[in-house]
Amino acid sequence: MSIVSKKELRTSIASRLSQHLELETLDEKPYIETLGDRLASSGVSRRSFMKYCMGLSAMMAIPVSLMPKLVEAALLSPLTSVVYLSFQECTGCLESLVNVFPNTQFKTDSIENILLTALSLDYSETLMAPSGTQAEKSRADAIAKKNYILVVDGAMPDDKGGAGFFIQSGKTGLQLLKAAATNAAVVVSVGTCASFGGLPAAKGPNGKSPTGAISIKAALTSFGGTYATKKVINVSGCPPIAEVIAGTLVYWILNKKAPELDSILRPKMFYGETVHEECYRKEFFEHGQFVESFDDAGARRGFCLFNMGCKGPITHNACTTLKWNQGTGFPMEAGHGCLGCSEPGFWDKEAISGQGVGFYKPLDINTIDD
Ligand code: SF4
Ligand code: SF4
């Protein structure tokens, strides 16, 4: 073993130090949080995220063999920015979504919830802490970053030449939508109001909506140019099922493109079938066994609710497959027919069983106990 003298050692250290000092300093790149980072810090393993995506693959019509690569790509991607705008709405859609969140972030095993919380929600009037000019700045900053998902709930009112029904910070709804849609990668219309006009588009006494409400797609089309061709996904429902909203966003995060849509722009994976097709009362429908009044013997035996105005046979939604409230049930299980909430014009649409225009056959006053 060779012995190194103190002098040699000092010379060697001095030389290494000078080499280090001559090295170029590394660029200080800003840290960009990825989806993988966020899930890891939330205690969600890569394995459980993969398992969740594999479970969705059949519904999303993605070959299982492709899923691992898509998941890896998604985990390495920066968090997807979301700008959330609200127009003529009741906040029920956002309520549906946040009600499935845990009270304390991430203390849940539902990955839909974690994913939604793990999105970078850069602007939402209802959920964000800043207000006033700070909030306006947040929206402008998010729009400047580009390629965000623009989520919109609520129908768009006619701006009546600039003095319309929706004014925020001196701008009409149409102006706000146009500015926010400019740099959006995709527009997701959440709820039947944003998708088709919904309640605000219901006919008033003169046969017209008092606010001239139109869907977000119709508003974008009215702008023309690239706005008219902007990719729009309608996630209808009054409100939509939280997992349907989440599944649509997850599909975009994984694929950077929209899922296959039906003729009115709804993801076929969730709206491909009517609620009637999977309803457990369908056997009674096929045997002509119907409830005729909410308190009759047929109601007690669980007969079909078609004659009570159920619109299940013409309503496309995932209520009977995904169910509601973390998969615990759906309206027909609770004894009430489908109102057709995910279809265009549902407020004004006539029940197919002939009870006239409106929601459902009302309860007879005599059936209500004192
Ligand atoms: S209750 Fe409605 S959805 Fe269910 S079988 Fe009858 S008509 Fe169809
Ligand atoms: S059952 Fe019909 S009305 Fe009820 S949530 Fe589903 S689609 Fe809407």
Side-chain angles (χ1 to χ4, degrees), residues 299-332:
R300 283 190 286 275
R301 293 174 66 187
F303 285 1
C304 170
L305 295 157
F306 183 76
N307 285 350
M308 301 308 293
C310 180
K311 295 179 188 167
I314 53 163
T315 304
H316 296 79
N317 207 342
C319 308
T320 44
T321 47
L322 284 182
K323 303 190 178 181
W324 281 87
N325 302 323
Q326 290 105 47
T328 50
F330 56 92
M332 286 71 91

Side-chain angles (χ1 to χ4, degrees), residues 221-279:
T221 303
S222 74
F223 302 148
T226 53
Y227 297 100
T229 52
K230 185 77 66 179
K231 177 57 83 183
V232 174
I233 306 174
N234 286 333
V235 181
S236 63
C238 189
I241 301 169
E243 287 80 359
V244 170
I245 308 172
T248 304
L249 296 176
V250 171
Y251 189 97
W252 181 271
I253 293 167
L254 290 176
N255 295 278
K256 297 289 181 275
K257 65 172 188 179
E260 195 184 349
L261 305 178
D262 67 11
S263 61
I264 47 176
L265 307 181
R266 297 176 299 192
K268 277 189 182 170
M269 59 193 188
F270 298 120
Y271 298 90
E273 291 189 338
T274 63
V275 295
H276 173 76
E277 279 165 75
E278 297 296 330
C279 179

Side-chain angles (χ1 to χ4, degrees), residues 84-339:
Y84 195 116
L85 294 186
S86 297
F87 296 106
Q88 290 187 119
E89 44 80 46
C90 66
T91 316
C93 298
L94 194 54
E95 183 83 13
S96 169
L97 200 54
V98 298
N99 267 347
V100 301
F101 287 169
N103 289 331
T104 309
Q105 275 192 352
F106 302 133
K107 284 194 180 161
T108 174
D109 53 6
S110 164
I111 294 190
E112 285 100 331
N113 303 346
I114 293 165
L115 272 172
L116 285 172
T117 315
L119 289 167
S120 178
L121 189 57
D122 292 329
Y123 182 81
S124 161
E125 285 136 31
T126 313
L127 297 180
M128 69 198 300
S131 61
T133 49
Q134 274 183 319
E136 295 292 300
K137 186 176 179 316
S138 302
R139 189 176 67 237
D141 290 349
I143 291 171
K145 278 194 262 169
K146 300 185 180 176
N147 282 328
Y148 45 87
I149 300 176
L150 175 60
V151 178
V152 185
D153 64 15
M156 179 57 64
D158 180 352
D159 75 1
K160 301 279 184 227
F165 296 93
F166 188 98
I167 302 284
Q168 186 192 81
S169 57
K171 295 189 181 72
T172 66
L174 283 165
Q175 289 168 328
L176 287 164
L177 176 68
K178 193 170 185 182
T182 306
N183 292 336
V186 61
V187 179
V188 180
S189 296
V190 167
T192 298
C193 300
S195 299
F196 310 124
L199 165 65
K203 291 178 189 144
N206 64 356
K208 290 183 183 162
S209 157
T211 64
I214 54 172
S215 69
I216 297 307
K217 171 67 182 167
L220 290 170
T221 303
S222 74
F223 302 148
T226 53
Y227 297 100
T229 52
K230 185 77 66 179
K231 177 57 83 183
V232 174
I233 306 174
N234 286 333
V235 181
S236 63
C238 189
I241 301 169
E243 287 80 359
V244 170
I245 308 172
T248 304
L249 296 176
V250 171
Y251 189 97
W252 181 271
I253 293 167
L254 290 176
N255 295 278
K256 297 289 181 275
K257 65 172 188 179
E260 195 184 349
L261 305 178
D262 67 11
S263 61
I264 47 176
L265 307 181
R266 297 176 299 192
K268 277 189 182 170
M269 59 193 188
F270 298 120
Y271 298 90
E273 291 189 338
T274 63
V275 295
H276 173 76
E277 279 165 75
E278 297 296 330
C279 179
Y280 74 108
R281 295 182 189 240
K282 196 170 153 205
E283 213 178 313
F284 295 113
F285 177 91
E286 282 162 359
H287 288 97
Q289 292 171 301
F290 298 107
V291 175
E292 301 296 344
S293 123
F294 280 117
D295 65 345
D296 70 8
R300 283 190 286 275
R301 293 174 66 187
F303 285 1
C304 170
L305 295 157
F306 183 76
N307 285 350
M308 301 308 293
C310 180
K311 295 179 188 167
I314 53 163
T315 304
H316 296 79
N317 207 342
C319 308
T320 44
T321 47
L322 284 182
K323 303 190 178 181
W324 281 87
N325 302 323
Q326 290 105 47
T328 50
F330 56 92
M332 286 71 91
E333 277 185 337
H336 200 288
C338 167
L339 306 176

